[in-house]
Amino acid sequence: MNDSPGWASPGSAPSDGQEPGASSPAAPTSPAEPADRPDGTHTADAPGAPAQGPGAKWSKEQPPPAQWSAPAGPQNPAHPPARQGGPAGWGAGPASPGQGGPGHAGYGHQSPGAGWGTGWGGPPPAAKPGVIPLRPLGVGEILDGAVTTMRTYWRTVLGISLTVAVVVEVVLVLLQGLVLNDTADSTALLTDPTATVDEKTGAMGDVMVNSGVLALVSLIGTITATALLTAVTSRAVLGKPVTTGEAWREARPRLPKLFGLIFLLLLVVAVIGAVGVLPGALLGGPGGGALAALGMLASLAVTVWLMVRFSLASPALMLEKQSVTKALSRSAKLVRGSWWRVFGIQSLSMLIANIVAMIVAVPFALAGAILGDGGLEAFAQGGSNLSWTYLVVAGIGSVIGSLVTFPLTAGVVVLLYIDQRIRREALDLDLARAAGVPGHTGTATPGS
Protein backbone atom coordinates (compact mmCIF):
# COMPACT_ATOMS: atom_id res chain seq x y z
CA MET A 1 0.00 0.00 0.00
CA ASN A 2 1.44 3.38 -0.88
CA ASP A 3 1.87 6.11 1.70
CA SER A 4 -0.71 8.27 0.02
CA PRO A 5 -2.14 11.37 1.73
CA GLY A 6 -5.30 11.02 -0.32
CA TRP A 7 -6.76 8.14 1.62
CA ALA A 8 -9.97 8.54 3.56
CA SER A 9 -9.44 9.83 7.05
CA PRO A 10 -9.83 7.07 9.62
CA GLY A 11 -12.85 7.03 11.87
CA SER A 12 -15.37 8.27 9.32
CA ALA A 13 -18.78 6.67 9.72
CA PRO A 14 -20.70 5.33 6.74
CA SER A 15 -23.25 7.70 5.25
CA ASP A 16 -26.85 7.19 6.21
CA GLY A 17 -28.03 8.51 2.86
CA GLN A 18 -28.81 12.02 4.12
CA GLU A 19 -26.85 15.15 3.45
CA PRO A 20 -25.23 16.82 6.47
CA GLY A 21 -27.48 19.34 8.07
CA ALA A 22 -30.64 18.08 6.37
CA SER A 23 -33.59 17.68 8.69
CA SER A 24 -35.84 14.69 8.79
CA PRO A 25 -39.22 14.91 7.09
CA ALA A 26 -41.87 16.46 9.21
CA ALA A 27 -44.59 14.19 10.48
CA PRO A 28 -47.93 14.67 8.74
CA THR A 29 -50.55 16.42 10.73
CA SER A 30 -53.98 15.17 11.35
CA PRO A 31 -56.54 16.31 8.83
CA ALA A 32 -58.83 17.24 11.66
CA GLU A 33 -60.31 20.75 11.60
CA PRO A 34 -58.42 23.37 13.65
CA ALA A 35 -59.84 24.40 16.99
CA ASP A 36 -61.96 27.54 17.37
CA ARG A 37 -60.57 30.48 19.21
CA PRO A 38 -62.65 32.24 21.88
CA ASP A 39 -63.29 35.15 19.50
CA GLY A 40 -64.94 32.81 17.03
CA THR A 41 -62.11 32.73 14.54
CA HIS A 42 -60.19 29.68 13.46
CA THR A 43 -56.63 29.03 14.51
CA ALA A 44 -55.53 29.22 10.89
CA ASP A 45 -57.09 32.69 10.64
CA ALA A 46 -55.28 34.04 13.66
CA PRO A 47 -53.04 37.03 13.10
CA GLY A 48 -49.48 35.99 12.38
CA ALA A 49 -50.47 32.41 11.60
CA PRO A 50 -49.00 30.92 8.46
CA ALA A 51 -51.27 30.56 5.50
CA GLN A 52 -52.73 27.14 5.10
CA GLY A 53 -53.26 27.27 1.33
CA PRO A 54 -55.14 29.45 -1.12
CA GLY A 55 -57.30 31.84 0.75
CA ALA A 56 -56.00 30.49 4.09
CA LYS A 57 -59.27 28.54 4.50
CA TRP A 58 -59.93 24.90 5.30
CA SER A 59 -62.04 23.05 2.81
CA LYS A 60 -65.55 22.32 3.96
CA GLU A 61 -65.28 18.81 2.61
CA GLN A 62 -63.21 16.95 5.15
CA PRO A 63 -62.66 13.19 5.30
CA PRO A 64 -64.69 11.35 7.87
CA PRO A 65 -63.09 10.94 11.28
CA ALA A 66 -61.49 7.77 12.67
CA GLN A 67 -59.25 7.10 9.69
CA TRP A 68 -56.80 5.26 11.98
CA SER A 69 -57.94 1.88 13.21
CA ALA A 70 -57.32 1.15 16.85
CA PRO A 71 -54.66 -1.48 17.46
CA ALA A 72 -55.86 -4.77 18.73
CA GLY A 73 -54.41 -6.34 21.84
CA PRO A 74 -52.24 -4.84 24.60
CA GLN A 75 -49.88 -2.01 23.69
CA ASN A 76 -46.09 -2.36 23.97
CA PRO A 77 -44.34 1.01 24.25
CA ALA A 78 -41.24 -0.54 22.71
CA HIS A 79 -43.20 -1.40 19.51
CA PRO A 80 -45.57 1.40 18.41
CA PRO A 81 -48.56 0.34 16.35
CA ALA A 82 -48.27 0.40 12.59
CA ARG A 83 -50.30 2.84 10.59
CA GLN A 84 -53.07 1.22 8.57
CA GLY A 85 -53.46 3.35 5.46
CA GLY A 86 -52.87 7.01 6.21
CA PRO A 87 -52.96 9.87 3.75
CA ALA A 88 -51.94 9.42 0.15
CA GLY A 89 -48.24 9.00 -0.35
CA TRP A 90 -47.64 7.03 2.86
CA GLY A 91 -46.62 3.44 2.36
CA ALA A 92 -47.88 0.73 4.62
CA GLY A 93 -45.69 0.37 7.70
CA PRO A 94 -43.88 -2.85 8.52
CA ALA A 95 -46.00 -5.54 10.05
CA SER A 96 -43.46 -5.91 12.83
CA PRO A 97 -40.29 -4.03 13.82
CA GLY A 98 -38.18 -6.93 12.62
CA GLN A 99 -39.42 -6.65 9.04
CA GLY A 100 -38.07 -4.24 6.50
CA GLY A 101 -39.97 -2.52 3.78
CA PRO A 102 -39.97 0.43 1.45
CA GLY A 103 -39.17 3.59 3.32
CA HIS A 104 -37.95 1.72 6.41
CA ALA A 105 -34.35 0.95 5.53
CA GLY A 106 -33.05 1.85 8.96
CA TYR A 107 -34.88 -0.87 10.85
CA GLY A 108 -33.05 -3.81 12.26
CA HIS A 109 -34.10 -6.75 14.35
CA GLN A 110 -35.32 -5.65 17.74
CA SER A 111 -35.49 -8.03 20.60
CA PRO A 112 -38.36 -7.76 23.08
CA GLY A 113 -37.85 -4.87 25.43
CA ALA A 114 -35.42 -3.03 23.12
CA GLY A 115 -35.87 0.70 22.90
CA TRP A 116 -37.52 2.27 19.88
CA GLY A 117 -34.87 3.17 17.33
CA THR A 118 -32.29 0.64 18.49
CA GLY A 119 -31.57 -0.22 14.85
CA TRP A 120 -31.06 3.45 13.90
CA GLY A 121 -27.76 5.33 13.98
CA GLY A 122 -24.24 4.20 14.81
CA PRO A 123 -21.79 2.56 12.42
CA PRO A 124 -22.14 -1.14 11.72
CA PRO A 125 -19.84 -3.48 13.64
CA ALA A 126 -16.33 -3.72 12.21
CA ALA A 127 -15.47 -6.72 10.09
CA LYS A 128 -13.24 -9.30 11.76
CA PRO A 129 -11.90 -11.73 9.16
CA GLY A 130 -8.93 -12.67 11.35
CA VAL A 131 -7.57 -12.19 14.85
CA ILE A 132 -8.52 -8.50 15.22
CA PRO A 133 -11.48 -6.33 14.19
CA LEU A 134 -10.65 -3.99 11.32
CA ARG A 135 -10.88 -0.71 13.24
CA PRO A 136 -8.70 1.21 15.73
CA LEU A 137 -7.66 -1.19 18.48
CA GLY A 138 -7.44 -0.94 22.24
CA VAL A 139 -4.60 -2.25 24.39
CA GLY A 140 -6.46 -5.41 25.31
CA GLU A 141 -7.35 -6.11 21.67
CA ILE A 142 -3.71 -5.84 20.62
CA LEU A 143 -2.55 -8.24 23.33
CA ASP A 144 -5.47 -10.55 22.63
CA GLY A 145 -4.68 -10.50 18.90
CA ALA A 146 -1.08 -11.57 19.58
CA VAL A 147 -2.21 -14.39 21.87
CA THR A 148 -4.96 -15.46 19.45
CA THR A 149 -2.40 -15.68 16.66
CA MET A 150 -0.32 -18.01 18.85
CA ARG A 151 -3.33 -20.21 19.57
CA THR A 152 -4.85 -20.25 16.10
CA TYR A 153 -1.67 -20.80 14.11
CA TRP A 154 0.26 -22.60 16.81
CA ARG A 155 1.90 -25.08 14.45
CA THR A 156 3.57 -22.38 12.38
CA VAL A 157 4.31 -20.12 15.36
CA LEU A 158 5.68 -23.00 17.42
CA GLY A 159 7.79 -24.27 14.53
CA ILE A 160 9.39 -20.87 13.89
CA SER A 161 9.94 -20.01 17.57
CA LEU A 162 11.30 -23.44 18.46
CA THR A 163 13.71 -23.56 15.53
CA VAL A 164 15.15 -20.11 16.18
CA ALA A 165 15.29 -20.62 19.96
CA VAL A 166 17.11 -23.95 19.69
CA VAL A 167 19.72 -22.56 17.28
CA VAL A 168 20.29 -19.50 19.46
CA GLU A 169 20.60 -21.49 22.69
CA VAL A 170 23.02 -23.98 21.15
CA VAL A 171 25.28 -21.11 20.10
CA LEU A 172 24.99 -19.47 23.53
CA VAL A 173 25.79 -22.69 25.39
CA LEU A 174 28.84 -23.33 23.22
CA LEU A 175 30.07 -19.77 23.67
CA GLN A 176 29.60 -19.87 27.44
CA GLY A 177 31.12 -23.32 27.83
CA LEU A 178 34.11 -22.98 25.48
CA VAL A 179 34.91 -19.30 24.94
CA LEU A 180 33.34 -17.24 27.70
CA ASN A 181 33.85 -19.69 30.55
CA ASP A 182 35.64 -17.15 32.77
CA THR A 183 32.55 -15.05 33.31
CA ALA A 184 32.03 -16.49 36.77
CA ASP A 185 35.63 -15.66 37.74
CA SER A 186 35.21 -12.08 36.59
CA THR A 187 31.91 -11.74 38.41
CA ALA A 188 33.43 -13.12 41.62
CA LEU A 189 36.35 -10.72 41.29
CA LEU A 190 33.99 -7.77 41.20
CA THR A 191 32.64 -8.70 44.63
CA ASP A 192 36.06 -9.53 46.13
CA PRO A 193 36.97 -6.87 48.74
CA THR A 194 40.68 -7.66 48.43
CA ALA A 195 40.83 -7.01 44.64
CA THR A 196 42.57 -3.89 43.43
CA VAL A 197 40.96 -1.16 41.34
CA ASP A 198 42.79 -2.32 38.22
CA GLU A 199 41.63 -5.90 38.73
CA LYS A 200 38.04 -4.81 39.20
CA THR A 201 38.24 -2.57 36.14
CA GLY A 202 39.56 -5.41 34.03
CA ALA A 203 36.91 -7.79 35.39
CA MET A 204 34.16 -5.27 34.61
CA GLY A 205 35.45 -4.95 31.04
CA ASP A 206 35.43 -8.74 30.62
CA VAL A 207 31.90 -9.03 31.95
CA MET A 208 30.69 -6.27 29.64
CA VAL A 209 32.33 -7.84 26.59
CA ASN A 210 30.99 -11.30 27.40
CA SER A 211 27.52 -9.97 28.09
CA GLY A 212 27.63 -7.94 24.88
CA VAL A 213 28.51 -11.02 22.80
CA LEU A 214 25.69 -13.05 24.35
CA ALA A 215 23.25 -10.17 23.90
CA LEU A 216 24.27 -9.81 20.25
CA VAL A 217 23.60 -13.51 19.56
CA SER A 218 20.22 -13.27 21.30
CA LEU A 219 19.42 -10.12 19.32
CA ILE A 220 20.16 -11.85 16.02
CA GLY A 221 17.81 -14.67 16.98
CA THR A 222 15.11 -12.22 18.03
CA ILE A 223 15.42 -10.33 14.73
CA THR A 224 15.10 -13.52 12.73
CA ALA A 225 12.09 -14.73 14.71
CA THR A 226 10.43 -11.32 14.44
CA ALA A 227 10.91 -11.25 10.67
CA LEU A 228 9.38 -14.70 10.24
CA LEU A 229 6.54 -14.07 12.68
CA THR A 230 5.70 -10.76 11.02
CA ALA A 231 4.51 -12.67 7.96
CA VAL A 232 2.42 -14.96 10.15
CA THR A 233 0.76 -12.13 12.10
CA SER A 234 0.02 -10.06 8.98
CA ARG A 235 -1.76 -13.04 7.41
CA ALA A 236 -3.55 -13.83 10.68
CA VAL A 237 -5.15 -10.36 10.53
CA LEU A 238 -6.71 -11.39 7.21
CA GLY A 239 -7.69 -14.83 8.48
CA LYS A 240 -5.27 -16.51 6.06
CA PRO A 241 -2.86 -19.15 7.40
CA VAL A 242 0.76 -19.31 6.33
CA THR A 243 3.19 -22.20 6.63
CA THR A 244 6.72 -22.01 8.00
CA GLY A 245 8.14 -22.42 4.50
CA GLU A 246 5.99 -19.63 3.10
CA ALA A 247 6.99 -17.33 5.97
CA TRP A 248 10.66 -18.09 5.34
CA ARG A 249 10.39 -17.48 1.59
CA GLU A 250 8.65 -14.17 2.22
CA ALA A 251 11.06 -12.97 4.91
CA ARG A 252 14.37 -14.22 3.49
CA PRO A 253 14.84 -11.44 0.85
CA ARG A 254 14.28 -8.81 3.55
CA LEU A 255 16.62 -10.24 6.20
CA PRO A 256 19.80 -8.41 5.04
CA LYS A 257 18.01 -5.06 5.20
CA LEU A 258 16.51 -5.99 8.56
CA PHE A 259 19.96 -6.77 9.97
CA GLY A 260 21.19 -3.49 8.50
CA LEU A 261 18.34 -1.69 10.27
CA ILE A 262 19.20 -3.24 13.62
CA PHE A 263 22.92 -2.55 13.14
CA LEU A 264 22.17 1.10 12.39
CA LEU A 265 20.02 1.39 15.53
CA LEU A 266 22.76 -0.20 17.66
CA LEU A 267 25.30 2.19 16.19
CA VAL A 268 23.07 5.14 17.05
CA VAL A 269 22.70 3.87 20.61
CA ALA A 270 26.48 3.43 20.98
CA VAL A 271 27.14 6.96 19.68
CA ILE A 272 24.57 8.48 22.03
CA GLY A 273 26.06 6.60 24.99
CA ALA A 274 29.59 7.69 24.10
CA VAL A 275 28.55 11.33 23.73
CA GLY A 276 26.85 11.23 27.13
CA VAL A 277 29.73 9.64 29.03
CA LEU A 278 32.72 11.14 27.22
CA PRO A 279 32.73 14.61 28.89
CA GLY A 280 32.78 13.10 32.37
CA ALA A 281 35.46 10.59 31.41
CA LEU A 282 37.68 13.37 30.05
CA LEU A 283 37.18 15.54 33.11
CA GLY A 284 38.08 12.77 35.57
CA GLY A 285 37.97 12.92 39.36
CA PRO A 286 34.82 12.97 41.50
CA GLY A 287 33.30 15.74 39.40
CA GLY A 288 33.96 13.78 36.24
CA GLY A 289 32.32 10.70 37.71
CA ALA A 290 29.18 12.66 38.61
CA LEU A 291 29.13 14.27 35.17
CA ALA A 292 29.54 10.87 33.52
CA ALA A 293 26.65 9.45 35.57
CA LEU A 294 24.46 12.40 34.63
CA GLY A 295 25.42 12.03 30.98
CA MET A 296 24.62 8.32 31.13
CA LEU A 297 21.11 9.05 32.44
CA ALA A 298 20.56 11.66 29.73
CA SER A 299 21.78 9.31 27.00
CA LEU A 300 19.51 6.59 28.37
CA ALA A 301 16.49 8.89 28.13
CA VAL A 302 17.36 9.87 24.54
CA THR A 303 17.94 6.22 23.63
CA VAL A 304 14.54 5.15 24.96
CA TRP A 305 12.85 8.00 23.08
CA LEU A 306 14.54 7.05 19.81
CA MET A 307 13.93 3.31 20.21
CA VAL A 308 10.21 3.87 20.69
CA ARG A 309 10.11 6.33 17.80
CA PHE A 310 11.74 3.75 15.50
CA SER A 311 10.08 0.68 17.03
CA LEU A 312 7.70 0.22 14.06
CA ALA A 313 10.49 0.32 11.47
CA SER A 314 10.84 -3.48 11.42
CA PRO A 315 7.25 -4.27 10.29
CA ALA A 316 7.36 -1.28 7.90
CA LEU A 317 10.49 -2.71 6.30
CA MET A 318 9.07 -6.23 6.08
CA LEU A 319 5.50 -5.48 4.97
CA GLU A 320 5.96 -2.36 2.86
CA LYS A 321 9.21 -3.57 1.24
CA GLN A 322 10.85 -0.28 2.22
CA SER A 323 14.52 0.62 2.43
CA VAL A 324 16.22 1.04 5.82
CA THR A 325 16.00 4.83 5.88
CA LYS A 326 12.45 4.86 4.52
CA ALA A 327 11.38 2.33 7.17
CA LEU A 328 12.83 4.57 9.89
CA SER A 329 10.97 7.60 8.54
CA ARG A 330 7.74 5.60 8.25
CA SER A 331 8.03 4.50 11.87
CA ALA A 332 8.69 8.06 13.02
CA LYS A 333 5.61 9.25 11.10
CA LEU A 334 3.35 6.54 12.52
CA VAL A 335 4.52 7.05 16.12
CA ARG A 336 4.34 10.85 15.98
CA GLY A 337 1.69 12.04 18.42
CA SER A 338 1.29 8.55 19.93
CA TRP A 339 4.69 8.10 21.58
CA TRP A 340 3.39 7.42 25.08
CA ARG A 341 0.75 5.00 23.83
CA VAL A 342 3.26 3.00 21.80
CA PHE A 343 5.75 3.08 24.68
CA GLY A 344 3.15 1.89 27.19
CA ILE A 345 1.83 -0.98 25.06
CA GLN A 346 5.28 -2.26 24.16
CA SER A 347 6.49 -1.96 27.76
CA LEU A 348 3.45 -3.87 28.98
CA SER A 349 3.96 -6.64 26.43
CA MET A 350 7.66 -6.93 27.27
CA LEU A 351 6.87 -7.03 30.98
CA ILE A 352 4.32 -9.82 30.49
CA ALA A 353 6.66 -11.78 28.23
CA ASN A 354 9.63 -11.48 30.59
CA ILE A 355 7.56 -12.49 33.60
CA VAL A 356 6.35 -15.60 31.81
CA ALA A 357 9.88 -16.37 30.63
CA MET A 358 11.26 -16.01 34.15
CA ILE A 359 8.56 -18.24 35.59
CA VAL A 360 9.64 -20.91 33.12
CA ALA A 361 13.41 -20.34 33.15
CA VAL A 362 14.13 -19.89 36.87
CA PRO A 363 13.16 -23.46 37.91
CA PHE A 364 15.37 -24.86 35.15
CA ALA A 365 18.27 -22.65 36.25
CA LEU A 366 17.88 -23.82 39.85
CA ALA A 367 17.68 -27.44 38.71
CA GLY A 368 20.83 -26.97 36.62
CA ALA A 369 22.65 -25.43 39.58
CA ILE A 370 21.63 -28.31 41.87
CA LEU A 371 22.69 -30.94 39.34
CA GLY A 372 25.93 -29.16 38.50
CA ASP A 373 29.36 -29.56 40.10
CA GLY A 374 29.27 -28.64 43.78
CA GLY A 375 25.52 -28.24 43.87
CA LEU A 376 23.53 -25.11 44.60
CA GLU A 377 25.89 -23.89 47.36
CA ALA A 378 28.91 -23.81 45.06
CA PHE A 379 26.87 -22.05 42.37
CA ALA A 380 25.68 -19.40 44.83
CA GLN A 381 29.25 -18.73 45.98
CA GLY A 382 30.40 -18.19 42.39
CA GLY A 383 32.28 -21.25 41.23
CA SER A 384 35.21 -21.04 38.87
CA ASN A 385 33.25 -22.05 35.75
CA LEU A 386 29.71 -22.80 34.75
CA SER A 387 29.24 -26.53 34.40
CA TRP A 388 27.92 -28.08 31.22
CA THR A 389 25.03 -29.55 33.19
CA TYR A 390 23.93 -26.11 34.32
CA LEU A 391 24.31 -24.62 30.83
CA VAL A 392 22.30 -27.37 29.16
CA VAL A 393 19.47 -27.47 31.71
CA ALA A 394 19.23 -23.67 31.88
CA GLY A 395 19.29 -23.55 28.07
CA ILE A 396 16.28 -25.87 27.90
CA GLY A 397 14.38 -23.49 30.15
CA SER A 398 15.36 -20.54 27.95
CA VAL A 399 14.11 -22.36 24.84
CA ILE A 400 10.74 -23.02 26.47
CA GLY A 401 10.49 -19.39 27.58
CA SER A 402 11.31 -18.19 24.06
CA LEU A 403 8.27 -20.06 22.74
CA VAL A 404 6.21 -17.40 24.53
CA THR A 405 8.38 -14.29 24.28
CA PHE A 406 9.12 -14.46 20.55
CA PRO A 407 5.53 -14.62 19.23
CA LEU A 408 4.11 -12.27 21.87
CA THR A 409 6.57 -9.42 21.36
CA ALA A 410 6.62 -9.82 17.56
CA GLY A 411 2.81 -9.98 17.41
CA VAL A 412 2.37 -6.84 19.50
CA VAL A 413 4.80 -4.86 17.33
CA VAL A 414 3.08 -5.92 14.09
CA LEU A 415 -0.43 -5.24 15.45
CA LEU A 416 0.70 -1.85 16.77
CA TYR A 417 1.98 -1.03 13.30
CA ILE A 418 -1.34 -2.10 11.73
CA ASP A 419 -3.32 -0.18 14.37
CA GLN A 420 -1.38 3.04 13.74
CA ARG A 421 -1.93 2.73 9.99
CA ILE A 422 -5.64 2.13 10.54
CA ARG A 423 -5.85 5.28 12.65
CA ARG A 424 -3.84 7.46 10.27
CA GLU A 425 -4.24 5.94 6.81
CA ALA A 426 -7.53 4.00 6.84
CA LEU A 427 -5.67 0.74 6.32
CA ASP A 428 -8.78 -1.15 7.47
CA LEU A 429 -10.40 -0.53 4.07
CA ASP A 430 -7.53 -2.18 2.22
CA LEU A 431 -7.35 -5.01 4.75
CA ALA A 432 -11.07 -5.67 4.23
CA ARG A 433 -10.55 -5.81 0.47
CA ALA A 434 -7.54 -8.09 0.84
CA ALA A 435 -9.53 -10.39 3.14
CA GLY A 436 -12.48 -10.54 0.73
CA VAL A 437 -14.97 -9.01 3.16
CA PRO A 438 -18.40 -8.65 1.47
CA GLY A 439 -19.04 -5.13 0.30
CA HIS A 440 -15.39 -4.43 -0.43
CA THR A 441 -13.98 -4.92 -3.89
CA GLY A 442 -10.47 -4.72 -5.24
CA THR A 443 -7.25 -6.61 -4.83
CA ALA A 444 -5.32 -4.38 -2.43
CA THR A 445 -2.72 -6.11 -0.36
CA PRO A 446 -1.61 -4.79 3.03
CA GLY A 447 1.87 -3.42 3.01
CA SER A 448 2.02 -3.01 -0.76
Side-chain angles (χ1 to χ4, degrees):
M1 171 183 313
N2 297 324
D3 183 12
S4 171
W7 286 350
S9 59
S12 59
S15 173
D16 59 1
Q18 193 174 6
E19 292 294 330
S23 59
S24 60
T29 56
S30 171
E33 195 170 302
D36 292 334
R37 295 172 56 88
D39 55 1
T41 63
H42 291 291
T43 304
D45 299 328
Q52 303 296 325
K57 298 291 185 179
W58 288 98
S59 172
K60 296 181 179 181
E61 297 180 358
Q62 296 294 328
Q67 287 294 312
W68 306 99
S69 58
Q75 296 296 310
N76 188 346
H79 304 292
R83 290 183 174 94
Q84 303 293 329
W90 282 58
S96 65
Q99 295 177 346
H104 299 82
Y107 284 89
H109 176 73
Q110 293 182 349
S111 58
W116 176 252
T118 303
W120 294 81
K128 188 178 179 181
V131 296
I132 60 169
L134 301 183
R135 56 169 172 73
L137 305 174
V139 179
E141 290 174 324
I142 292 177
L143 295 174
D144 179 71
V147 175
T148 303
T149 302
M150 296 167 55
R151 289 200 320 261
T152 306
Y153 307 100
W154 64 270
R155 289 184 178 86
T156 304
V157 172
L158 181 63
I160 293 174
S161 302
L162 183 61
T163 302
V164 175
V166 168
V167 172
V168 169
E169 287 303 323
V170 168
V171 174
L172 290 178
V173 167
L174 292 177
L175 285 175
Q176 289 178 292
L178 299 176
V179 181
L180 309 177
N181 55 3
D182 58 344
T183 304
D185 293 337
S186 301
T187 304
L189 192 61
L190 289 175
T191 58
D192 188 359
T194 62
T196 63
V197 175
D198 293 338
E199 290 176 341
K200 289 189 175 182
T201 303
M204 181 178 297
D206 293 339
V207 171
M208 291 181 64
V209 170
N210 296 344
S211 301
V213 171
L214 298 177
L216 181 61
V217 174
S218 300
L219 180 62
I220 293 174
T222 303
I223 294 171
T224 306
T226 301
L228 297 174
L229 293 172
T230 296
V232 178
T233 306
S234 62
R235 295 301 182 272
V237 170
L238 304 178
K240 300 179 179 179
V242 58
T243 63
T244 304
E246 292 172 344
W248 170 250
R249 286 191 296 271
E250 182 174 340
R252 182 176 56 187
R254 313 298 302 170
L255 284 178
K257 289 187 177 182
L258 186 60
F259 283 114
L261 171 65
I262 301 301
F263 175 78
L264 180 60
L265 292 177
L266 291 177
L267 182 61
V268 170
V269 171
V271 171
I272 293 174
V275 170
V277 177
L278 186 60
L282 294 177
L283 181 62
L291 182 60
L294 184 61
M296 186 177 297
L297 292 177
S299 62
L300 179 62
V302 174
T303 299
V304 171
W305 180 78
L306 283 177
M307 290 301 101
V308 175
R309 184 175 177 84
F310 297 140
S311 61
L312 303 183
S314 173
L317 186 144
M318 297 299 298
L319 298 178
E320 297 184 30
K321 308 297 187 294
Q322 301 283 6
S323 63
V324 173
T325 54
K326 182 63 176 177
L328 291 174
S329 64
R330 286 285 291 142
S331 176
K333 177 183 178 181
L334 293 174
V335 175
R336 186 182 302 121
S338 303
W339 190 94
W340 284 108
R341 180 175 182 271
V342 174
F343 169 75
I345 294 176
Q346 291 194 346
S347 300
L348 179 61
S349 65
M350 292 177 62
L351 178 63
I352 295 174
N354 289 329
I355 290 176
V356 174
M358 288 180 60
I359 292 175
V360 175
V362 168
F364 281 89
L366 292 176
I370 293 173
L371 298 175
D373 298 337
L376 184 61
E377 183 177 357
F379 178 81
Q381 293 176 356
S384 58
N385 292 317
L386 297 175
S387 66
W388 285 102
T389 303
Y390 169 79
L391 292 176
V392 171
V393 176
I396 294 174
S398 298
V399 168
I400 298 176
S402 298
L403 299 181
V404 177
T405 57
F406 282 167
L408 182 60
T409 54
V412 168
V413 171
V414 175
L415 293 179
L416 256 177
Y417 161 81
I418 293 175
D419 174 59
Q420 289 299 110
R421 290 197 63 185
I422 288 176
R423 293 172 181 269
R424 296 177 180 270
E425 302 170 355
L427 181 66
D428 51 329
L429 303 179
D430 293 274
L431 291 175
R433 284 193 289 266
V437 175
H440 296 77
T441 59
T443 58
T445 304
S448 59

